[in-house]
Every structure is written in C-alpha cells, then in structure tokens.
C-alpha cells in the first residue's frame, strides 16, 4: 500500500463545523497502526480522556450536518449522527406549528414519518444516508398550511469514498471490518470507520494519524455496547476537498460468523461409528433450533469422495462404519438456520474401526480367572455342606421293638402273623 501525504494544517471550515456540531458524541484515542493496517479499538470508557484533544481541527472526520437553509423560514438543520432534524423555535414567520416530519430516499428505500417534539424531529430508527435524503416538514403558519423541505447530500467527488464495506463478528468476541479505497480517491485521503449502536453510542472507531498509510481494516475488541443493530460509516478526509462517506445499517446477527464446533469426539466399533460435539460459542444468543450441523467423513486415499450428513437440533450422529476400515477422518461445522451462514470446519479427527479380535493374553487371563472362580465356588459349597452337617446332624429313626430285634426271625414272624 502506497504511503500517503501528510495532511496540511489548512482544514476547511466545513470540517471545523463537524467537530463543533456533535459535542455529545464521545471522541476516541488515535490507535497505533499494525503492520497489516488494522486498528485495535480502546473501550469507550477511555475515550473521554482525550475528548478535548479530539475536538481540535484535523483529529477526526465526521459527517457534516446540513447548514441552515437561508430560504427557509424555519432554518432547518439535520444532524446525521443523531438523525435529528431541528429548526429555530423563534422564527420571523410568526406563529409556526409543525405537525410532522418525513424523510425520504428512493435509492435506499427510506420513507418514514415522525411527530415533532419541541423544535425537533428525531428519526428513531437508524438509516443509510450515503445516497442522500430529502427531509420534509409539514405544519401551519398563522393557521394556514405550510411546507418546508431540506436536502441532505453526500458531498464529494464520485468515487472518492470507500467501497465494499464488510464487517464480521468473529470468535464471539471481536468485530472485524474491511473496505476498499475508492477508485477516484485523492492521494492524501485518510479514511475513518465509526460503529454506533441504535442509541447513538460509539462501539468502535478507527482513524489514522497524518502521514500514516491509508487504513482499510478495523478490529474492535469491546462489543459490550453493541445491540441488535449497528450503524457502520466510513468517512474520508482530504486537503483536495470533500470525500464521500459510505454507511450501512446491519443486524448484528447477520454479522456473526460461527467458529468450529467444540469438543468433537469420534469412536467406532465393527458396525457403527459415533461422532459427538458441542455448539460453538456465539456473541448473539442462539437456541438449539437456530443451529444446524454438517458432518463430513472421507478416506485418506487420493481421489476418494467425501460423504456429508446434515444434522438439525442434535449434537450427535451415528452411521455405519465405513469400509475398508481405517484411514478415514471426520470433521464438523456449524451453521445458522436463520441466516444460512456456515462456520468454520473443525480439525479432522481420525475415524478408525476398533479391532474386535480378543488378544491371546486377555483370553488366557479370562480363562484362568473363570477356573479360579469355579474352584473357589466349589470349595465354598463343600465347606458349607460339611459345616451344615455338623451343626444339624440327621435325626435317628424310631425303632420297632419287635422287628428290630435280631433274635426274631422275620420269616417265622411273618408265618405266625398269617395264621388264622
């Protein structure tokens, strides 16, 4: 990247008005550039330390609020940072009553109407302004209907502003933005990125000191103030004249880029393999129904075709063990069902079927243990029988005094009993 010329001290009056028109927007310290021209962001709590320094001319680039319209009886002024349209309460037109304010941009698809509060209209919802907008005010003057109009334009030469702005939330903890330098950007252009939440508070700022290279990347490490939506704007400054800005309003859930699933494990037997994992960490709160996973396994042989399976609302998959066994690897990635974005693949894990043959030593040990257990069981049984016999000897039977007499012949006794 070519080295840029140092900005001259003769800053335009328009830039000076920018620094004075937004006193409620906190400034940010100027970070040192890394070798890749990425800027680390200091948390918002430290920005107030250099507030007075950043209000000096040449320290930051801001979107210029529109100057009062001399032809308008209301002296309308629009501040793009706060999306607020204001007018003078004491006007020469007399009794003026404002009933509604409307902002319109056909290119950006914007058409919104709000009611005034005091001497201002605040457009609550964030909107992209680099196409330019038309602001209409309806009311009455002395009881008669009246209408006032103010145009907010993106000043600067065509092609001088940044292009292709993209931002991503990575690893559930930092915001990374990048853009491309405009094709007609002046040689001394310096770009600055600013990220605001829906309430107008700064989430991140990136800018460069005079003489530094043009920065086209910014990394914010503190996302504590980032809400459901973010307003991104890249402004430019040059001694040659105004530089167009580029802005966008994005939903933060669309910026999330999922990392690889955690705790991936794989095990197999002779028939099936089982893969399990845990969902990746996310900055946006996601439920089990928001996740989808893709499991892929492939043989290490050259030219082999990978196989994929889509898994929804589960963190486990069982499938037949691939043949031939061995040499297969499996990996998993997560996706967001709402945004249709796929995250990064997990590292490949070996997927090998277990050897079902029993080792000879293990078989011998099991047989020896079985024989020993049988011997112990038999010994215990015999010992128990002997002890039981001693404790409970058999009861002798009742003797017959006649038949049990050894001096009596059983045959003679039987004959005597049979005689009549």
């Amino acid at each position: 990247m070519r080295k840029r010329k140092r900005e001259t001290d003769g800053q335009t009056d328009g830039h000076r008005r920018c620094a004075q028109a937004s006193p409620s927007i906190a400034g940010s310290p100027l970070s040192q550039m890394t070798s890749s021209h990425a800027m680390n962001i200091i948390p918002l709590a430290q920005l107030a330390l250099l507030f007075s320094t950043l209000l000096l001319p040449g320290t930051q680039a801001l979107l210029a609020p529109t100057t009062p319209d001399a032809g308008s009886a209301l002296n309308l002024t629009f501040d793009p940072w706060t999306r607020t349209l204001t007018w003078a309460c004491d006007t020469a037109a007399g009794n003026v009553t404002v009933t509604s304010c409307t902002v319109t941009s056909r290119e950006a698809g914007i058409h919104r109407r709000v009611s005034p509060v005091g001497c201002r209209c605040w457009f609550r919802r964030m909107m992209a302004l680099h196409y330019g907008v038309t602001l209409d005010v309806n009311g009455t003057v002395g009881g008669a209907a009246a209408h006032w109009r103010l145009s907010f334009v993106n000043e600067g030469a065509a092609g001088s502003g940044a292009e292709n702005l993209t931002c991503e939330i990575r690893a559930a903890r930092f915001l990374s933005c990048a853009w491309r330098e405009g094709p007609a950007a002046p040689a001394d252009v310096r770009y600055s990125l600013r990220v605001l939440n829906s309430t107008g508070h700064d989430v991140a700022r990136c800018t460069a000191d005079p003489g530094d290279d043009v920065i086209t990347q910014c990394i914010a490490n503190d996302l504590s103030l980032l809400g459901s939506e973010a307003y991104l704007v890249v402004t430019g400054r040059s001694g040659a004249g105004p530089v167009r800005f580029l802005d966008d309003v994005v939903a933060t859930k669309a910026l999330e880029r999922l990392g690889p699933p955690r705790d991936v494990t794989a095990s197999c037997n002779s028939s099936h393999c089982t893969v399990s994992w845990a969902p990746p960490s996310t900055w946006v709160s996601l439920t089990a129904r928001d996740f989808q996973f893709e499991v892929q396994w492939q043989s290490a042989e050259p030219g082999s075709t990978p196989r994929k399976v889509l898994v929804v609302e589960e963190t486990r998959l069982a499938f037949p063990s691939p043949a031939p066994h061995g040499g297969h690897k499996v990996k998993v990635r997560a996706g967001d069902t709402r945004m249709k974005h796929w995250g990064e693949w997990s590292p490949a894990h070996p997927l090998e079927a277990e050897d079902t043959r029993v080792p000879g030593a293990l078989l011998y040990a099991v047989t020896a243990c079985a024989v020993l257990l049988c011997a112990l069981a038999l010994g215990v049984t015999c010992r128990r029988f002997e002890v039981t016999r001693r404790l409970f000897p058999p009861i002798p039977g009742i003797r017959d005094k006649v038949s049990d007499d050894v001096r009596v012949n059983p045959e003679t006794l039987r004959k005597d009993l049979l005689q009549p």
Side-chain angles (χ1 to χ4, degrees):
M1 184 178 295
R2 65 183 184 276
K3 195 74 173 178
R4 296 295 182 185
K5 298 179 181 178
R6 182 175 298 273
E7 185 180 23
T8 62
D9 296 335
Q11 191 181 18
T12 63
D13 294 338
H15 282 166
R16 291 192 180 94
R17 283 198 301 271
C18 294
Q20 298 171 0
S22 303
S24 61
I25 302 299
S28 63
L30 302 179
S31 305
Q32 298 296 325
M33 296 184 60
T34 63
S35 58
S36 61
H37 310 295
M39 305 290 291
N40 290 328
I41 304 304
I42 298 178
L44 183 62
Q46 302 179 16
L47 298 180
L49 297 178
L50 296 180
F51 179 79
S52 58
T53 302
L54 293 177
L55 290 180
L56 296 176
T59 57
Q60 64 178 6
L62 296 176
L63 292 178
T66 54
T67 56
D69 187 353
S72 172
L74 292 184
N75 295 326
L76 296 175
T77 304
F78 178 64
D79 187 349
W81 286 123
T82 59
R83 305 179 301 280
T84 303
L85 178 65
T86 58
W87 55 88
C89 293
D90 298 330
T91 64
N95 187 12
V96 177
T97 301
V98 175
T99 57
S100 66
C101 302
T102 305
V103 59
T104 306
S105 175
R106 291 187 177 90
E107 293 82 358
I110 300 173
H111 182 78
R112 300 172 188 170
R113 175 176 294 180
V114 298
S115 299
V117 177
C119 298
R120 67 186 183 96
C121 281
W122 177 44
F123 298 95
R124 182 183 300 271
R125 293 180 56 190
M126 296 182 293
M127 50 189 171
L129 302 173
H130 67 273
Y131 292 105
V133 294
T134 301
L135 301 126
D136 294 287
V137 178
N138 296 314
T140 60
V141 178
H147 174 265
W148 300 270
R149 171 169 290 183
L150 179 67
S151 296
F152 175 80
V153 297
N154 190 356
E155 296 182 353
S160 61
E163 296 181 348
N164 194 28
L165 173 62
T166 57
C167 292
E168 298 177 345
I169 296 178
R170 293 280 186 178
R173 60 183 179 84
F174 67 89
L175 176 68
S176 175
C177 296
W179 59 92
R180 186 174 62 243
E181 184 178 352
D188 63 341
V189 69
R190 289 194 295 118
Y191 292 114
S192 301
L193 171 72
R194 192 172 179 183
V195 182
L196 291 85
N197 58 17
S198 58
T199 60
H201 291 88
D202 278 294
V203 176
R205 286 194 193 208
C206 283
T207 188
D209 292 325
D212 286 338
D213 290 348
V214 176
I215 62 170
T216 58
Q217 186 176 8
C218 177
I219 298 177
N221 297 318
D222 183 7
L223 304 182
S224 58
L225 295 179
L226 190 62
S228 59
E229 283 188 326
Y231 177 65
L232 314 171
V233 56
V234 179
T235 57
R237 298 169 63 182
S238 169
V243 176
R244 290 190 177 183
F245 66 90
L246 174 65
D247 65 346
D248 195 11
V249 178
V250 296
T252 52
K253 65 180 181 181
L255 303 180
E256 183 97 45
R257 294 297 179 267
L258 300 177
R262 300 173 291 113
D263 304 329
V264 179
T265 60
S267 60
C268 296
N269 56 28
S270 59
S271 60
H272 286 79
C273 292
T274 302
V275 182
S276 61
W277 60 88
S281 300
T282 60
W283 183 84
V284 179
S285 179
L286 298 178
T287 65
R289 294 184 178 181
D290 297 325
F291 282 109
Q292 60 181 351
F293 302 95
E294 192 173 49
V295 182
Q296 173 183 300
W297 65 93
Q298 183 179 7
S299 174
E301 298 178 359
S304 60
T305 302
R307 300 188 61 184
K308 296 181 180 180
V309 173
L310 182 65
V311 181
V312 180
E313 298 184 19
E314 295 287 343
T315 57
R316 183 177 179 274
L317 175 66
F319 54 92
S321 180
H325 296 165
H328 286 78
K329 291 186 177 181
V330 63
K331 55 184 180 181
V332 187
R333 68 175 178 176
D336 189 341
T337 57
R338 303 170 303 172
M339 307 308 300
K340 306 301 181 182
H341 289 161
W342 285 106
E344 302 174 5
W345 286 102
S346 68
H349 292 261
L351 189 64
E352 298 181 356
E354 298 176 353
D355 190 358
T356 56
R357 294 177 300 176
V358 181
L362 180 60
L363 181 62
Y364 177 80
V366 171
T367 304
C369 290
V371 173
L372 180 60
L373 290 176
C374 291
L376 290 175
L378 182 61
V380 170
T381 302
C382 294
R383 182 66 177 173
R384 182 177 179 183
F385 178 77
E386 181 66 23
V387 172
T388 303
R389 183 177 179 182
R390 292 182 179 181
L391 293 177
F392 305 99
I395 301 175
I398 301 175
R399 298 184 61 183
D400 191 341
K401 295 181 179 181
V402 177
S403 59
D404 290 344
D405 191 353
V406 296
R407 295 174 297 174
V408 178
N409 188 346
E411 294 182 0
T412 303
L413 179 60
R414 188 178 298 112
K415 291 179 180 180
D416 294 339
L417 294 174
L418 293 176
Q419 289 183 357

